[in-house]
Amino acid sequence: MPPKLQRTIYTGTFLSTPSLDQLQILEFHAVGVDEDGIIRHINTHIHASQYPNTGIIGKTTLLDWLSTYTFPLESSLSSLPKARLVYTACITRTLSHGTTTASYFATRHVDATNLLADICLEKGQRAFVGRVCMDNEMNPDYYRDESPEQAISDTVATIAHIDSVDPTHELITPIITPRFAPSCSSSLLSSLGALASLTNLPIQTHISENTSEIALVSALFPDHDHYADVYEKNGLLTPRTVLAHAIHLSPSERALVKERESRISHCPVSNTSLSSGLCPVRELLDQGITVGLGTDASGGYSASILIAAREAGMVSRMVAHLTPEHPDDDAKGGVNEKGLPVTEEAVTDKEAAKYSTSHKDRKKLSVEECLYLATRGGAKCLGLGEKVGAFEVGMEWDVQLIELGNAADGGGDEGVEGGDKGLVELWGKETWGEKVAKWLFCGDDRNTRKVFVRGRLVHERR
Amino acid sequence: MPPKLQRTIYTGTFLSTPSLDQLQILEFHAVGVDEDGIIRHINTHIHASQYPNTGIIGKTTLLDWLSTYTFPLESSLSSLPKARLVYTACITRTLSHGTTTASYFATRHVDATNLLADICLEKGQRAFVGRVCMDNEMNPDYYRDESPEQAISDTVATIAHIDSVDPTHELITPIITPRFAPSCSSSLLSSLGALASLTNLPIQTHISENTSEIALVSALFPDHDHYADVYEKNGLLTPRTVLAHAIHLSPSERALVKERESRISHCPVSNTSLSSGLCPVRELLDQGITVGLGTDASGGYSASILIAAREAGMVSRMVAHLTPEHPDDDAKGGVNEKGLPVTEEAVTDKEAAKYSTSHKDRKKLSVEECLYLATRGGAKCLGLGEKVGAFEVGMEWDVQLIELGNAADGGGDEGVEGGDKGLVELWGKETWGEKVAKWLFCGDDRNTRKVFVRGRLVHERR
């Protein structure tokens, strides 16, 4: 069980993103933290088991990436010593990037998945830990569940283990994890839906990442209206469901996701790395869908959620570039024949006039929006919206201490007092907003000096 | 003048990219370097004067970015003490990123531009230094050349200064630098063309970065066929010309650039940051145009050429995603109405069959291609193809020593012997190609342990 802590008062400048378009800056502020232990980075989609492959993608896209790189590595984590090395490195590294909460896909191995939960608890990272379910013949012989029954009983075994080490899920929560529809039989999907209903546990899976994957789902599940309907009919589209990617959702799929209050984990680095597409995040947000960010390492080349936030901004700028100047030029429908993001219904001039920026510019995510998605947006995705992601009374102290370098430090030259301050250089005249922009675009783990989860210091860079 | 050096033999594993699709690995190799002093990163387009704004872009695109952020900062470098701080920081930082050669845009100030050349010489970075010419009313009153004559005489003054400090241009070469067509009168452009012809010096400028910029050029130069024709008719399209961006070139413009043997600096980070577009690099390469990489800081959010190489790979994956499956579906013409890159002429099935990968996949740049563009491609852009960018007898010793971390180092945890090894973690089974991929996608300045230019150690990380 997580340890109890001393009462502490922290002073300094506190930054948070209370709403999507707001950067809250509390200068010369003090925050008291009691024995139980408030903000920062939440990674709503990361495959801990793929961590050693980070940066290795070749020219693959989703389906051949799985068979070439991913299944062989995941399969090898049947070895507990190897799993221990991989999971320890992944958790240590994500903490060093300021990730206070991560929603992890592990592998199909019960013991290794339980070990991931144990190491998160020991190192103090808030985590959702999912044993990956995958029972059909689309998976390789050497790495798949034997039957729906075995997949369910193994999933129950990991839930029981997490319940035993963290009974109230203060830090670690089991999460029901069908890999994605093409990996699962209908029987397994419906059993997992029933298990989620019975246990009230959260669910994570992938949806609509790649056009070949969508075609495969359509071939495998011919009786379903669309990809989202496969999850819907099997009880897997709930207010506790996190859907990773969701790039190519049709208008009716988006409407269904909104209606079911399911959440979307936007994974921009992975979506670009695997040529999956450009997710129309503004459209999702305009529709009122809850969106957080995931690194999707190792589909994404980095386990840093700060890079995911940066690339969310970059991808949104490419979406803006590809968006016609006039709303009426948008094709109707979610994705046109080129895979470009388009609005569900052409936004009228009157609606567009509500915004001070042009139709194209509205597609861009601002610095504060990128950071919101990486913090409070992620918290909301994972049902932690009342618990972490803001500096508010009653919230838990999940924060990171950020230190930025000064130009006077002599960028890149060593022997400077205080060690390597990283790549952000302040020149003395930056506004707070500009400082935060520099951190978003130029920062890295060297700027993350301390990381706290529930008041406990879980990472420190000296 | 650059100092003379001791004869030295370097041993180890040497990596280079002798051609676009080739990664050369020389294990257990020795290379002798004589008194004059072979590979690494070349930044073919960077605005040293904009360095303090790195990471600050807001939601701007090219033209409002210039007026909002760029002109005020450049103008302030009339102060020599400020210029010294900015240029020292920029050179120190780019050296720490492994940039052995940079082609710099300075400002319109003679003294500050001369100072940039002096600091490059002192710190030992090979550089092309350009005094920025901009004389028309599109530039702000507070920051423009008074007349074409003044712009020319100031340019001649910086050339004379560089000739005096490095007479044979061993390290520093002046480069004739019209900001871009919309900033210059026809008179200034033609005078700069004449000066380039007279001096045989290289030329750098911007072309076809942004669709509004292209429309502006068309309005300002109504008698010219297209943007490239403005440079052509003024004697500025030469085999020594580096054109930055070149995203939206028409087929006839590309043909002209190819015919004139002018070179293109691809700036993927900037192109995404400012929503400028997706440069069709494969098409440029297929056409036989010489392409290198630029960071275009601060239009790009990073002065790291490694990040430019990484993002060249990422942008090419987005181009692949947006490319139709079948070559015949490509529209004719360089850029279609959505600004998507398309082939000049639809590649026939027979031509496409020459390649083992699909039509879409061919658009992706491989790891070795990204690194080629950042090294030898850049060297060729700058007329240094015979001098640097490969481990060959007779080439100069411009190299960086790369060290990668091991998973056993305990990623992100400090107190590990040998200091902070950065984000790349090797697990022991990676091939050389995978090691290089991890460096490209996960590496940063922490992996650049030593940097040499012409045999001189110009940066060391301890």
Side-chain angles (χ1 to χ4, degrees):
Chain A
M1 258 182 286
K4 287 286 172 184
L5 299 154
Q6 293 252 307
R7 289 186 192 202
T8 313
I9 292 174
Y10 295 94
T11 58
T13 301
F14 295 79
L15 296 177
S16 69
T17 50
S19 66
L20 185 60
D21 55 357
Q22 196 187 351
L23 180 67
Q24 184 181 54
I25 297 153
L26 304 169
E27 280 193 87
F28 312 111
H29 209 75
V31 178
V33 181
D34 71 11
E35 292 86 342
D36 284 325
I38 298 184
I39 299 186
R40 225 73 285 179
H41 279 156
I42 294 174
N43 190 339
T44 56
H45 185 74
I46 173 166
H47 294 261
S49 51
Q50 298 167 15
Y51 182 72
N53 273 352
T54 307
I56 301 179
I57 49 173
K59 285 188 177 181
T60 57
T61 51
L62 177 63
L63 302 177
D64 58 326
W65 169 82
L66 280 169
S67 57
T68 307
Y69 299 116
T70 304
F71 289 146
L73 173 59
E74 287 194 19
S75 163
S76 75
L77 296 204
S78 60
S79 155
L80 277 179
K82 179 162 185 184
R84 180 177 294 279
L85 284 176
V86 169
Y87 290 148
T88 300
C90 179
I91 294 164
T92 305
R93 187 64 83 181
T94 53
L95 284 173
S96 78
H97 286 303
T99 301
T100 52
T101 300
S103 190
Y104 286 122
F105 279 60
T107 62
R108 49 170 302 278
H109 312 107
V110 173
D111 287 353
T113 303
N114 292 346
L115 182 61
L116 174 58
D118 294 348
I119 303 173
C120 288
L121 196 59
E122 178 197 326
K123 291 198 157 272
Q125 188 176 53
R126 196 186 293 275
F128 293 75
V129 175
R131 183 251 174 221
V132 180
C133 298
M134 42 193 289
D135 73 331
N136 72 8
E137 292 183 356
M138 303 303 298
N139 303 295
D141 291 345
Y142 65 84
Y143 186 57
R144 72 166 172 244
D145 292 325
E146 286 158 30
S147 65
E149 293 74 21
Q150 175 248 309
I152 295 293
S153 79
D154 282 3
T155 299
V156 168
T158 61
I159 296 171
H161 175 79
I162 294 169
D163 285 352
S164 76
V165 296
D166 187 2
T168 57
H169 302 166
E170 280 186 349
L171 210 62
I172 316 293
T173 306
I175 186 164
I176 291 171
T177 306
R179 184 172 205 105
F180 67 155
S183 274
C184 300
S185 66
S186 290
S187 166
L188 176 55
L189 290 173
S190 64
S191 299
L192 290 170
L195 183 63
S197 171
L198 188 69
T199 58
N200 210 25
L201 285 175
I203 299 163
Q204 64 182 352
T205 191
H206 301 79
I207 196 170
S208 202
E209 175 176 359
N210 168 292
T211 51
S212 301
E213 169 212 10
I214 296 168
L216 181 61
V217 168
S218 174
L220 290 169
F221 299 91
D223 300 338
H224 290 267
D225 297 343
H226 43 55
Y227 200 154
D229 188 53
V230 177
Y231 295 139
E232 162 72 2
K233 292 280 174 19
N234 287 295
L236 292 163
L237 222 51
T238 77
R240 295 169 308 286
T241 301
V242 179
L243 301 164
H245 304 286
I247 303 171
H248 307 285
L249 291 182
S250 68
S252 52
E253 287 181 290
R254 277 195 223 155
L256 180 61
V257 166
K258 165 69 183 161
E259 199 185 320
R260 292 287 169 268
E261 296 178 52
S262 296
R263 288 83 193 263
I264 289 176
S265 174
H266 175 43
C267 302
V269 180
S270 169
N271 295 349
T272 305
S273 295
L274 298 180
S275 310
S276 301
L278 295 124
C279 184
V281 173
R282 177 68 66 206
E283 322 261 319
L284 298 173
L285 294 170
D286 282 352
Q287 207 158 346
I289 295 173
T290 298
V291 181
L293 289 184
T295 60
D296 192 29
S298 69
Y301 60 74
S302 169
S304 160
I305 192 74
L306 186 67
I307 290 187
R310 179 183 309 163
E311 293 303 314
M314 289 297 116
V315 166
S316 74
R317 279 158 180 73
M318 280 296 95
V319 171
H321 168 67
L322 294 166
T323 298
E325 195 70 53
H326 300 292
D328 293 344
D329 296 340
D330 279 352
K332 292 216 172 204
V335 178
N336 71 14
E337 70 286 355
K338 290 198 184 279
L340 299 183
V342 293
T343 50
E344 185 182 5
E345 294 180 17
V347 175
T348 64
D349 286 336
K350 196 175 160 192
E351 285 171 44
K354 283 193 298 190
Y355 307 102
S356 58
T357 52
S358 76
H359 178 61
K360 285 171 84 85
D361 278 357
R362 274 206 76 243
K363 306 293 181 186
K364 299 178 187 173
L365 297 173
S366 66
V367 167
E368 42 276 36
E369 289 175 323
C370 294
L371 291 173
Y372 174 90
L373 294 177
T375 57
R376 197 147 194 182
K380 289 188 173 183
C381 268
L382 295 166
L384 298 172
E386 306 301 311
K387 215 169 180 178
V388 299
F391 293 106
E392 290 174 10
V393 170
M395 285 197 162
E396 300 188 1
W397 184 253
D398 285 20
V399 303
Q400 58 178 315
L401 173 63
I402 299 296
E403 185 179 16
L404 304 179
N406 287 302
D409 292 345
D413 255 358
E414 302 240 339
V416 174
E417 224 175 307
D420 184 357
K421 295 273 180 65
L423 301 176
V424 183
E425 286 168 86
L426 299 182
W427 291 77
K429 294 203 171 171
E430 291 88 352
T431 63
W432 267 107
E434 290 171 341
K435 288 180 189 175
V436 174
K438 285 192 165 192
W439 174 56
L440 175 64
F441 289 116
C442 310
D444 62 32
D445 56 307
R446 286 171 281 188
N447 303 114
T448 297
R449 309 302 293 194
K450 293 184 181 184
V451 182
F452 298 86
V453 177
R454 298 188 79 250
R456 176 180 164 194
L457 180 66
V458 293
H459 172 76
E460 182 168 15
R461 178 174 289 269
R462 283 170 297 265
Chain B
M1 255 180 287
K4 288 285 174 185
L5 299 154
Q6 293 251 309
R7 290 187 192 202
T8 313
I9 292 174
Y10 295 94
T11 58
T13 301
F14 295 79
L15 296 178
S16 69
T17 50
S19 65
L20 186 60
D21 54 358
Q22 197 187 349
L23 180 66
Q24 185 181 55
I25 296 152
L26 304 169
E27 280 193 86
F28 310 111
H29 209 73
V31 178
V33 181
D34 71 13
E35 292 87 341
D36 285 326
I38 298 179
I39 298 185
R40 225 67 290 179
H41 279 155
I42 293 174
N43 191 340
T44 56
H45 185 73
I46 173 167
H47 295 261
S49 50
Q50 298 167 15
Y51 182 72
N53 273 351
T54 308
I56 301 180
I57 48 173
K59 285 188 175 182
T60 56
T61 51
L62 177 62
L63 302 177
D64 58 326
W65 168 82
L66 281 169
S67 56
T68 307
Y69 299 117
T70 304
F71 289 146
L73 173 59
E74 288 194 19
S75 164
S76 75
L77 296 203
S78 59
S79 156
L80 277 179
K82 179 162 184 184
R84 179 177 296 278
L85 284 177
V86 169
Y87 290 149
T88 301
C90 180
I91 294 164
T92 305
R93 188 64 84 180
T94 53
L95 284 173
S96 78
H97 286 301
T99 301
T100 52
T101 299
S103 191
Y104 286 122
F105 279 60
T107 62
R108 47 171 303 278
H109 312 106
V110 173
D111 287 352
T113 302
N114 293 347
L115 182 61
L116 173 59
D118 294 347
I119 303 173
C120 288
L121 196 57
E122 178 198 326
K123 291 199 159 272
Q125 188 176 52
R126 197 185 293 275
F128 293 75
V129 175
R131 183 251 174 220
V132 180
C133 297
M134 43 195 288
D135 72 331
N136 72 8
E137 292 183 355
M138 303 303 299
N139 305 295
D141 291 344
Y142 66 83
Y143 186 57
R144 72 166 171 244
D145 292 327
E146 284 158 32
S147 64
E149 293 74 22
Q150 175 250 308
I152 295 294
S153 80
D154 281 3
T155 298
V156 168
T158 61
I159 295 171
H161 175 78
I162 294 169
D163 285 352
S164 75
V165 297
D166 188 2
T168 57
H169 301 167
E170 281 187 349
L171 210 62
I172 315 293
T173 306
I175 187 164
I176 291 171
T177 306
R179 182 169 208 108
F180 66 155
S183 275
C184 300
S185 65
S186 291
S187 166
L188 176 55
L189 291 173
S190 64
S191 299
L192 289 170
L195 183 63
S197 172
L198 188 71
T199 58
N200 210 26
L201 286 175
I203 299 163
Q204 64 182 353
T205 191
H206 302 80
I207 197 170
S208 203
E209 175 175 359
N210 168 290
T211 51
S212 301
E213 169 212 9
I214 296 168
L216 182 60
V217 169
S218 174
L220 289 168
F221 299 90
D223 300 338
H224 290 267
D225 297 345
H226 43 55
Y227 200 153
D229 188 53
V230 177
Y231 295 137
E232 161 73 1
K233 292 281 178 11
N234 288 294
L236 291 163
L237 222 52
T238 78
R240 295 169 308 286
T241 302
V242 179
L243 301 164
H245 305 286
I247 303 172
H248 307 285
L249 291 182
S250 67
S252 52
E253 287 181 290
R254 276 195 224 154
L256 180 62
V257 167
K258 165 69 184 160
E259 199 183 322
R260 292 288 170 266
E261 297 178 53
S262 296
R263 288 82 193 263
I264 290 176
S265 173
H266 174 42
C267 302
V269 179
S270 169
N271 296 349
T272 305
S273 295
L274 297 181
S275 312
S276 301
L278 296 124
C279 184
V281 173
R282 177 68 66 204
E283 322 261 318
L284 299 173
L285 294 170
D286 282 352
Q287 207 158 347
I289 295 173
T290 298
V291 181
L293 289 184
T295 61
D296 192 28
S298 68
Y301 60 74
S302 169
S304 160
I305 193 74
L306 186 66
I307 290 187
R310 179 183 308 164
E311 292 304 314
M314 290 297 116
V315 166
S316 74
R317 280 158 179 74
M318 280 297 96
V319 172
H321 168 67
L322 294 166
T323 298
E325 195 69 53
H326 300 291
D328 294 345
D329 297 341
D330 279 352
K332 293 217 172 203
V335 178
N336 71 14
E337 70 288 352
K338 290 197 182 283
L340 299 182
V342 294
T343 50
E344 185 182 5
E345 294 181 16
V347 175
T348 63
D349 285 335
K350 197 175 160 191
E351 284 171 45
K354 284 195 295 191
Y355 306 102
S356 58
T357 52
S358 76
H359 178 62
K360 284 171 84 83
D361 278 357
R362 274 205 77 242
K363 306 292 181 185
K364 299 178 187 173
L365 297 173
S366 65
V367 167
E368 42 275 37
E369 288 176 324
C370 294
L371 291 172
Y372 174 89
L373 294 177
T375 57
R376 197 146 197 182
K380 289 188 174 184
C381 267
L382 293 167
L384 298 172
E386 307 301 310
K387 214 168 180 179
V388 298
F391 292 106
E392 290 174 9
V393 171
M395 285 199 164
E396 300 189 1
W397 184 254
D398 286 19
V399 303
Q400 58 178 316
L401 173 64
I402 300 296
E403 185 180 14
L404 304 180
N406 288 303
D409 292 345
D413 254 358
E414 301 240 337
V416 173
E417 224 175 309
D420 183 357
K421 296 274 181 64
L423 301 176
V424 183
E425 286 168 85
L426 298 183
W427 291 77
K429 295 206 171 168
E430 291 88 352
T431 64
W432 267 107
E434 289 172 341
K435 287 180 190 175
V436 174
K438 285 192 165 195
W439 174 57
L440 175 64
F441 289 116
C442 309
D444 62 32
D445 56 307
R446 285 171 282 187
N447 303 113
T448 297
R449 309 301 293 194
K450 292 184 182 186
V451 181
F452 297 87
V453 177
R454 298 189 79 251
R456 175 179 166 196
L457 180 66
V458 292
H459 172 76
E460 182 168 16
R461 179 174 289 271
R462 283 170 296 264

